[in-house]
Amino acid sequence: MRVPMKIARLFSTVSFKPKLELLSNKSLIQIDGEGSYDFCQGLMTNDIFKLKTEKSLFTMILNSKGRVLYDCLIYKVNDHILLECEKDAACDLINHLKMYLLRRKLNIKILENTSVWALFSSTPINMELNSVSVFNDPRLPILGQRIISDKTSGIRNEIFLDESDNKFTYQQWRHTNGVAEGSELLKGLSFPLEMNCDYLNGISFNKGCYVGQELTARTHHTGVTRKRIMPLIFDDTPTSLDLDADIYCESDLNVKRPPGKLRGLCGKIGIALLRIDECLKAERLIVGGFTAKTFIPSWWKM
């Protein structure tokens, strides 16, 4: 859907220096063995064979009805495939993957002694380190880089940063740019295009079949996605706000079907699944008694 730019508020870029943050809510799952690429290819929205030439990919894993179950960053490390996912979902994701193993002799396990770090800035970063694995975030350059290290390594002894002017947390930076992860997705209910998977380089529309592919392809070819994850900027910092709260347009608070649902909140910055046209045209959005405004992130492929 194309929205007239006169009603789209693009985020005014904030300038800040690089910041390194440990993502303690992330886990890494290792998949190795003969046929691991073919196995992943049939379950994930992206073309896993791109890892033959690229170091990292973004993908989603769907159910048979085309709804999102999990989102993952994928890394190629030696002969292994590593899936980065939310720590609370790691065991469920492994069980889901093992349902499709059949007779494949693959090893799927959580890496207990590794840490995941985010190195992010208001401008793209390209840092190389000798003792750890560094990957560009495959979704957006402004999301920076991922660093995978041993838990015993002193990574901060290798990276010296002046973080004094960077007050953003990684979650706030994601929300400001309208990027949802993990539990912020509506598991089992939302479609990948609603979660901006196509805009975030997470879907290949040229690969073969995978679980949930038929509905995803059909939605893409119709060219109509009425709802998407979008950023929210609140006028005041919300308190005691349900993170699954309904969102209404200020001019129409009595509709039976609210045009949005809150999906994440960090201070005055949030993200929500919104009906694009209605919410952009609204003077203000109402979320649990608090007022907010949304806008189209500058990276949307419109």
Side-chain angles (χ1 to χ4, degrees):
M1 175 188 296
R2 293 190 176 273
V3 179
M5 294 306 293
K6 64 181 180 181
I7 64 172
R9 290 178 56 197
L10 300 182
F11 177 63
S12 56
T13 304
V14 176
S15 178
F16 58 80
K17 296 176 182 177
K19 183 175 182 177
L20 181 66
E21 183 177 323
L22 174 64
L23 302 181
S24 57
N25 65 326
K26 298 293 185 179
S27 284
L28 287 170
I29 296 173
Q30 178 177 295
I31 304 176
D32 65 77
E34 187 177 351
S36 58
Y37 279 70
D38 290 318
F39 172 69
C40 292
Q41 184 78 340
L43 295 176
M44 301 179 183
T45 57
N46 214 333
D47 184 354
I48 306 304
F49 286 96
K50 289 180 181 178
L51 289 176
K52 299 291 186 181
T53 56
E54 301 176 23
K55 291 179 62 178
S56 59
L57 293 174
F58 173 58
T59 193
M60 288 185 173
I61 297 174
L62 315 179
N63 63 20
S64 59
K65 297 180 180 179
R67 270 71 171 183
V68 176
L69 294 179
Y70 308 97
D71 66 316
C72 302
L73 296 185
I74 311 177
Y75 311 112
K76 179 180 66 175
V77 179
N78 300 324
D79 295 327
H80 309 311
I81 293 174
L82 299 184
L83 305 182
E84 178 197 311
C85 66
E86 204 161 72
K87 181 174 290 185
D88 291 342
C91 290
D92 286 343
L93 175 52
I94 285 180
N95 290 334
H96 179 79
L97 295 173
K98 287 183 175 179
M99 286 172 48
Y100 294 91
L101 274 179
L102 302 178
R103 295 185 179 182
R104 292 184 179 90
K105 295 182 179 180
L106 299 179
N107 298 313
I108 304 176
K109 63 181 181 180
I110 296 175
L111 297 183
E112 302 287 355
N113 296 316
T114 55
S115 297
V116 180
W117 301 75
L119 179 64
F120 62 101
S121 171
S122 55
T123 56
I125 303 172
N126 186 17
M127 181 177 290
E128 295 184 5
L129 300 171
N130 293 327
S131 62
V132 293
S133 298
V134 182
F135 302 88
N136 292 329
D137 193 308
R139 296 170 295 182
L140 297 171
I142 55 174
L143 292 179
Q145 293 181 305
R146 285 292 208 267
I147 299 174
I148 298 175
S149 70
D150 189 286
K151 284 187 175 180
T152 60
S153 67
I155 188 171
R156 287 196 176 274
N157 296 327
E158 295 189 47
I159 302 178
F160 300 96
L161 299 173
D162 177 11
E163 302 178 354
S164 57
D165 70 335
N166 189 341
K167 306 302 182 184
F168 279 98
T169 65
Y170 177 68
Q171 183 183 18
Q172 286 175 319
W173 184 235
R174 279 197 302 103
H175 286 187
T176 301
N177 288 285
V179 179
E181 284 184 358
S183 58
E184 296 164 353
L185 308 176
L186 283 163
K187 181 178 178 180
L189 298 174
S190 60
F191 297 106
L193 273 61
E194 294 176 341
M195 300 295 106
N196 294 326
C197 190
D198 51 340
Y199 288 178
L200 294 169
N201 306 309
I203 301 180
S204 170
F205 294 105
N206 299 316
K207 63 178 281 187
C209 294
Y210 57 88
V211 176
Q213 179 262 347
E214 183 177 354
L215 188 55
T216 303
R218 189 187 311 151
T219 305
H220 169 68
H221 290 302
T222 63
V224 178
T225 303
R226 293 185 173 86
K227 297 185 294 181
R228 284 189 181 269
I229 287 285
M230 299 178 71
L232 283 179
I233 303 297
F234 285 85
D235 295 322
D236 300 297
T237 303
T239 56
S240 304
L241 190 59
D242 181 3
L243 290 184
D244 203 29
D246 290 330
I247 298 175
Y248 297 87
C249 298
E250 188 178 43
S251 59
D252 196 355
L253 299 175
N254 298 316
V255 293
K256 292 183 179 180
R257 294 180 60 191
K261 188 174 286 289
L262 186 66
R263 294 310 305 146
L265 183 63
C266 196
K268 294 175 68 173
I269 305 170
I271 50 172
L273 179 62
L274 302 176
R275 287 210 289 270
I276 304 169
D277 267 350
E278 291 179 48
C279 293
L280 282 174
K281 292 175 182 177
E283 193 67 30
R284 280 289 183 275
L285 301 174
I286 306 297
V287 192
F290 296 91
T291 56
K293 186 70 176 177
T294 189
F295 56 88
I296 293 179
S298 57
W299 52 266
W300 273 26
K301 300 173 182 178
M302 299 179 60

